[in-house]
Amino acid sequence: MLKKRIIPCLLLKGKGFVKTMNFKHPVYLGDPLNIVKIFNVKMIDELMILDITASAEGRKPNFELIQKISSISFSPLTYGGGITSLDEAKRLFSIGIEKICLNTAVFKNPKLLHEINKLYGSQSLIVSLNIFRNFLGSYRIVDNSTKSIVTDLSIPESVKWLESNGAGEILINDVNNDGVMKGYNIDLIKMVTSVSTVPVIACGGCGNLGHIREVLTEGGASAAAVGSFFVFNGKHKAVLLSYPSQAVISNLLKN
């Protein structure tokens, strides 16, 4: 059985980390290098960094900044944002990124999935699905910046299609729950985990430790990605980085 994971998820905008709500209203958190150093002290097992404006701005990953982050991080790093070619993926792996996260552009260019899988294996490849629930309650996979629908496939069909094309993990990025801190959408996560044969990472909605336990047990996710809960404190959401101790995590993940 795969080990359950808890992953701080940090959003990169320009040269700083931010946190959003419903993929909007980014709040500045601080300098990436300082924030990564703080998480080093907290002995996290894994770290995910997603550049939320690279694709919208039509630019490549900020390799210089990513290399600086990689050089000081004590934890394995996942990076996503602006990756459009095999050469860019190669460069990211060469500067210390362990996994890369592709987004919905893969529906237009599945060849990139195959190329990366062939060279580095599926364990190095995550695909992120931005899922939006409309006013009728229907789920759609949307573009990160424009929120336009990117495929006519259903959520389960998309997951199976991505697996067949080489995705090693699926990240479910819940647009409606992003930053609200009221809990993961367990029904949505179950929809994915019930059909997926690869690990599923749930992202969007964590507000307490109970939410993490719920999505990993009831939801069946392999990992919980956490943003606001690890970077904000109190009702006024002051920026204060946190991460549970290993003892708390062990107790949290007990069957």
Side-chain angles (χ1 to χ4, degrees), residues 182-199:
K182 294 182 179 179
Y184 296 93
N185 184 337
I186 300 302
D187 290 340
L188 172 60
I189 301 305
K190 281 183 176 179
M191 180 193 299
V192 177
T193 58
S194 65
V195 298
S196 179
T197 59
V198 301

Side-chain angles (χ1 to χ4, degrees), residues 83-188:
I83 305 166
T84 60
S85 70
L86 181 59
D87 285 342
E88 289 166 358
K90 287 179 178 179
R91 187 170 176 184
L92 288 166
F93 287 125
S94 74
I95 59 178
I97 296 300
E98 182 176 85
K99 300 178 184 179
I100 64 169
C101 183
L102 302 177
N103 208 289
T104 46
V106 298
F107 286 98
K108 295 180 180 178
N109 183 22
K111 179 183 177 183
L112 184 58
L113 278 171
H114 291 285
E115 290 175 335
I116 297 172
N117 187 314
K118 184 177 180 180
L119 273 184
Y120 298 99
S122 62
Q123 78 285 345
S124 67
L125 188 53
I126 301 171
V127 176
S128 173
L129 297 180
N130 305 318
I131 300 181
F132 177 74
R133 185 178 66 255
N134 66 21
F135 68 97
L136 295 174
S138 298
Y139 293 108
R140 294 290 184 266
I141 299 172
V142 299
D143 177 81
N144 178 54
S145 54
T146 65
K147 306 301 183 294
S148 59
I149 297 172
V150 299
T151 177
D152 291 328
L153 295 175
S154 69
I155 305 303
E157 289 170 341
S158 296
V159 169
K160 300 306 294 182
W161 184 86
L162 289 169
E163 289 180 11
S164 67
N165 280 280
E169 291 186 71
I170 305 293
L171 170 65
I172 300 302
N173 217 333
D174 189 336
V175 178
N176 303 82
N177 272 18
D178 175 46
V180 301
M181 300 180 71
K182 294 182 179 179
Y184 296 93
N185 184 337
I186 300 302
D187 290 340
L188 172 60

Side-chain angles (χ1 to χ4, degrees), residues 2-255:
L2 291 173
K3 176 186 175 183
K4 299 285 187 176
R5 296 171 291 149
I6 302 172
I7 309 169
C9 182
L10 299 171
L11 306 180
L12 182 64
K13 184 176 186 291
K15 295 183 179 180
F17 282 144
V18 300
K19 186 65 194 81
T20 56
M21 179 175 285
N22 304 133
F23 282 34
K24 298 181 289 187
H25 314 302
V27 175
Y28 181 71
L29 301 178
D31 175 74
L33 300 182
N34 290 336
I35 289 176
V36 170
K37 287 176 182 177
I38 293 172
F39 275 119
N40 281 343
V41 174
K42 297 183 181 300
M43 300 179 66
I44 63 173
D45 293 326
E46 191 173 341
L47 183 61
M48 178 177 290
I49 297 172
L50 304 177
D51 188 323
I52 62 173
T53 58
S55 294
E57 294 171 357
R59 60 175 173 79
K60 297 179 179 181
N62 185 338
F63 294 107
E64 182 180 355
L65 178 57
I66 297 165
Q67 184 165 22
K68 288 179 180 178
I69 293 172
S70 175
S71 69
I72 64 167
S73 177
F74 294 170
S75 309
L77 291 175
T78 292
Y79 170 81
I83 305 166
T84 60
S85 70
L86 181 59
D87 285 342
E88 289 166 358
K90 287 179 178 179
R91 187 170 176 184
L92 288 166
F93 287 125
S94 74
I95 59 178
I97 296 300
E98 182 176 85
K99 300 178 184 179
I100 64 169
C101 183
L102 302 177
N103 208 289
T104 46
V106 298
F107 286 98
K108 295 180 180 178
N109 183 22
K111 179 183 177 183
L112 184 58
L113 278 171
H114 291 285
E115 290 175 335
I116 297 172
N117 187 314
K118 184 177 180 180
L119 273 184
Y120 298 99
S122 62
Q123 78 285 345
S124 67
L125 188 53
I126 301 171
V127 176
S128 173
L129 297 180
N130 305 318
I131 300 181
F132 177 74
R133 185 178 66 255
N134 66 21
F135 68 97
L136 295 174
S138 298
Y139 293 108
R140 294 290 184 266
I141 299 172
V142 299
D143 177 81
N144 178 54
S145 54
T146 65
K147 306 301 183 294
S148 59
I149 297 172
V150 299
T151 177
D152 291 328
L153 295 175
S154 69
I155 305 303
E157 289 170 341
S158 296
V159 169
K160 300 306 294 182
W161 184 86
L162 289 169
E163 289 180 11
S164 67
N165 280 280
E169 291 186 71
I170 305 293
L171 170 65
I172 300 302
N173 217 333
D174 189 336
V175 178
N176 303 82
N177 272 18
D178 175 46
V180 301
M181 300 180 71
K182 294 182 179 179
Y184 296 93
N185 184 337
I186 300 302
D187 290 340
L188 172 60
I189 301 305
K190 281 183 176 179
M191 180 193 299
V192 177
T193 58
S194 65
V195 298
S196 179
T197 59
V198 301
V200 174
I201 306 169
C203 186
C206 182
N208 59 52
L209 293 173
H211 293 156
I212 296 174
R213 180 174 177 81
E214 182 182 32
V215 80
L216 295 177
T217 54
E218 294 182 31
S222 298
V226 182
S228 295
F229 180 52
F230 286 165
V231 299
F232 292 137
N233 181 61
K235 65 179 181 179
H236 298 297
K237 293 188 175 181
V239 177
L240 179 65
L241 305 186
S242 64
Y243 189 77
S245 68
Q246 292 302 313
V248 169
I249 291 174
S250 295
N251 185 62
L252 184 71
L253 300 183
K254 282 182 180 178
N255 293 327

